[in-house]
Amino acid sequence: MSEKISIESIDEQLFKVKIVEPDDSKIASFTHYIHNHQNGVSDYYSEDALEHVKDILGKEYPNEIITNVLAEEALQYLIFDLNKSIPFPAPEKPIFKFIDLFAGIGGFRLALQNLGGKCIFTSEWDKYSKKTYEANFGEIPFGDITKAKTKSYIPDNFDVLCAGFPCQAFSIAGRRGGFEDTRGTLFFDVAEIIKKKQPKAIFLENVKGLRNHDKGKTLATILNVLREDLNYYVPEPQILNAKEFGVPQNRERIFIVGFRKDLGIEDFQYPEPTDKSATLEDILEKNEVSVKYYLSTTYLETLKKHRARHESKGNGFGYEIIPNDGTANAVVCGGMGRERNLLYDDRLTNFKPVTKISGKVNREGIRKMTPREWARLQGFPDTFKIIVSDAQAYKQFGNSVAVPAIQATAQKIIEKLSRK
């Protein structure tokens, strides 16, 4: 060990990640090591974690030889500091382990941690989502899960595989629609991981349209692969609506649950609605919001003309203002996700624009919801950190899962596993 470098003198701020690159496995390994140093899973991440520490120390102390011994001591020292300020830490005594694929900003993780779960691997390719994930869970997801290198970091012996994978069509014309027919799709990568790691349970989430996608062939292929090729008991998937689980958002998503057949689980009941009482009023900001969320007169007039054109053709397409005692439409990516969820708010006192707009700020009190309001619609607590731009935040929450619906379903899964 160098006599010029003492462990106590190492500034932990050196290891705070400023920029996250999608394929930086060393940084991901470092944070995964930090979070799994007590459960043996750290062995999967130790080599790259050590290299990351050596890289950082080498830049800070260019004239010193950074040995493995020094790097290992520094790594152990850092464990006890970097875990202190995590907004959503893992439970101290977890009762099951899970992995989080296509993690987004951590909706699955939040739900399963609330039930006593420990996340031991996560992947997400979007660098802005990774920043939000790291800010809230202290861990940086690995990148592209389609790459063999990323899959190589996945530990063995976890209980639940979670994945909100994107929907893609399969080329199954004239074939049985099995495992090989899903190649080139993201579901294939999920299936490949299930095949190799054999988790006790799987929990997949997708858009409602998956049920009828490609005339039902896509879902049929998925179920055939899970049931026949991978040998999992998979009850009929069910569409759940977030508005029935305590958040005022009309968001329907299809959930697919499965259990490894050797566990002997032969029945599963999806959760019944837990709370239908929430209204928009429950998630609105309590104080006056910035003028930047209020529509300009020009933009509002454009929306009105746009809706009028569609109404004249018999279409119901266009902007929508949600009453305070109503239920929001599904929050989704793109402008229409916001335009379909406008509201009246007459509390604005400063009508001077803070951004470049065409026209003046409207005096009807019509505004977009804030990113925080979208977070609440998805069931994220107010302590969840929003550290990205508004545009990215809308995208992230629009892409996320509704945490309460995920948690209610996951609870049923864990109850089944605990009995076995």
Side-chain angles (χ1 to χ4, degrees):
M1 184 190 305
S2 170
E3 296 180 356
K4 298 181 180 179
I5 305 176
S6 66
I7 296 300
E8 291 76 10
S9 69
I10 293 176
D11 184 0
E12 63 273 7
Q13 293 299 318
L14 294 173
F15 297 88
K16 298 290 186 183
V17 179
K18 302 297 190 298
I19 299 175
V20 179
E21 296 300 332
D23 59 351
D24 200 331
S25 56
K26 285 186 180 179
I27 297 177
S29 291
F30 170 69
T31 56
H32 278 66
Y33 182 97
I34 294 291
H35 283 258
N36 290 282
H37 67 281
Q38 290 181 321
N39 59 16
V41 177
S42 59
D43 292 344
Y44 288 85
Y45 311 119
S46 59
E47 183 177 346
D48 275 8
L50 196 62
E51 287 300 313
H52 176 65
V53 171
K54 290 173 71 174
D55 289 346
I56 297 295
L57 293 179
K59 292 176 182 178
E60 182 68 10
Y61 304 99
N63 298 322
E64 299 297 320
I65 298 175
I66 310 300
T67 65
N68 282 345
V69 173
L70 175 62
E72 286 174 357
E73 289 189 15
L75 194 55
Q76 297 305 314
Y77 170 72
L78 290 166
I79 284 173
F80 298 101
D81 183 80
L82 296 184
N83 274 335
K84 291 177 182 176
S85 57
I86 300 169
F88 299 96
E92 291 185 6
K93 296 181 179 180
I95 59 176
F96 66 95
K97 292 183 288 189
F98 67 97
I99 67 170
D100 190 9
L101 308 179
F102 309 99
I105 56 175
F108 264 106
R109 180 164 182 158
L110 196 60
L112 273 73
Q113 280 191 176
N114 289 341
L115 297 173
K118 167 68 176 173
C119 185
I120 62 171
F121 174 87
T122 184
S123 71
E124 166 59 42
W125 70 273
D126 182 78
K127 69 176 183 179
Y128 297 105
S129 294
K130 293 173 94 160
K131 288 181 179 181
T132 298
Y133 198 103
E134 192 270 341
N136 286 282
F137 301 104
E139 193 167 86
I140 295 168
F142 285 88
D144 189 350
I145 198 60
T146 66
K147 295 182 177 179
K149 182 180 179 181
T150 305
K151 293 188 184 83
S152 71
Y153 290 98
I154 302 176
D156 297 327
N157 301 320
F158 56 89
D159 301 294
V160 186
L161 177 146
C162 302
F165 68 99
C167 175
Q168 296 165 287
F170 305 142
S171 299
I172 59 175
R175 291 179 281 174
R176 65 184 289 268
F179 185 80
E180 295 301 322
D181 297 326
T182 65
R183 284 189 179 275
T185 70
L186 294 172
F187 174 73
F188 173 80
D189 296 286
V190 175
E192 190 179 35
I193 294 167
I194 295 171
K195 185 176 183 179
K196 183 176 181 180
K197 298 298 181 178
Q198 293 289 297
K200 295 176 183 176
I202 55 176
F203 184 6
L204 311 181
E205 181 263 7
N206 213 299
V207 295
K208 175 187 177 182
L210 177 63
R211 173 170 283 178
N212 300 315
H213 194 272
D214 196 13
K215 299 180 180 179
K217 294 178 182 178
T218 300
L219 180 58
T221 302
I222 289 172
L223 296 178
N224 186 58
V225 169
L226 296 175
R227 290 167 176 168
E228 303 302 326
D229 294 3
L230 301 180
N231 205 32
Y232 276 72
Y233 161 68
V234 181
E236 194 63 24
Q238 188 160 322
I239 292 173
L240 300 185
N241 196 326
K243 71 178 183 180
E244 297 182 331
F245 294 89
V247 290
Q249 182 195 177
N250 185 27
R251 186 185 192 84
E252 293 181 299
R253 291 295 185 268
I254 190 168
F255 288 1
I256 304 172
V257 168
F259 299 93
R260 211 174 60 214
K261 283 187 178 178
D262 66 302
L263 295 176
I265 296 172
E266 298 179 343
D267 66 294
F268 178 79
Q269 295 296 321
Y270 283 88
E272 294 295 326
T274 58
D275 183 3
K276 300 180 180 181
S277 64
T279 63
L280 191 68
E281 183 73 37
D282 298 318
I283 63 94
L284 296 181
E285 302 282 10
K286 302 304 180 186
N287 301 313
E288 178 182 338
V289 304
S290 170
V291 66
K292 70 178 180 178
Y293 297 109
Y294 283 78
L295 275 57
S296 72
T297 53
T298 302
Y299 183 36
L300 184 56
E301 187 62 26
T302 298
L303 290 180
K304 289 179 178 180
K305 290 179 179 178
H306 181 256
R307 187 166 73 175
R309 283 197 303 271
H310 279 279
E311 287 178 343
S312 67
K313 299 175 182 178
N315 301 327
F317 187 74
Y319 78 94
E320 187 172 344
I321 300 175
I322 310 298
N324 282 19
D325 61 354
T327 300
N329 291 304
V331 295
V332 295
C333 293
M336 283 310 300
R338 296 189 284 277
E339 292 161 2
R340 294 273 291 165
N341 282 303
L342 300 176
L343 55 90
Y344 286 113
D345 187 343
D346 61 3
R347 295 175 297 175
L348 186 65
T349 57
N350 182 3
F351 288 84
K352 183 178 180 181
V354 294
T355 56
K356 292 182 179 180
I357 62 172
S358 178
K360 299 180 180 180
V361 176
N362 84 90
R363 296 286 176 146
E364 298 177 53
I366 299 174
R367 69 168 176 87
K368 300 177 291 187
M369 293 187 193
T370 66
R372 178 60 67 188
E373 288 167 335
W374 270 35
R376 293 168 184 159
L377 284 176
Q378 291 283 52
F380 284 82
D382 282 359
T383 48
F384 191 86
K385 291 185 176 180
I386 302 175
I387 62 166
V388 294
S389 67
D390 280 1
Q392 284 294 330
Y394 285 125
K395 178 182 176 182
Q396 289 176 4
F397 289 113
N399 273 334
S400 183
V401 294
V403 177
I406 292 290
Q407 185 167 326
T409 306
Q411 184 170 1
K412 294 290 186 180
I413 295 172
I414 301 309
E415 287 173 359
K416 281 290 182 184
L417 292 179
S418 65
R419 294 183 188 133
K420 294 295 178 179

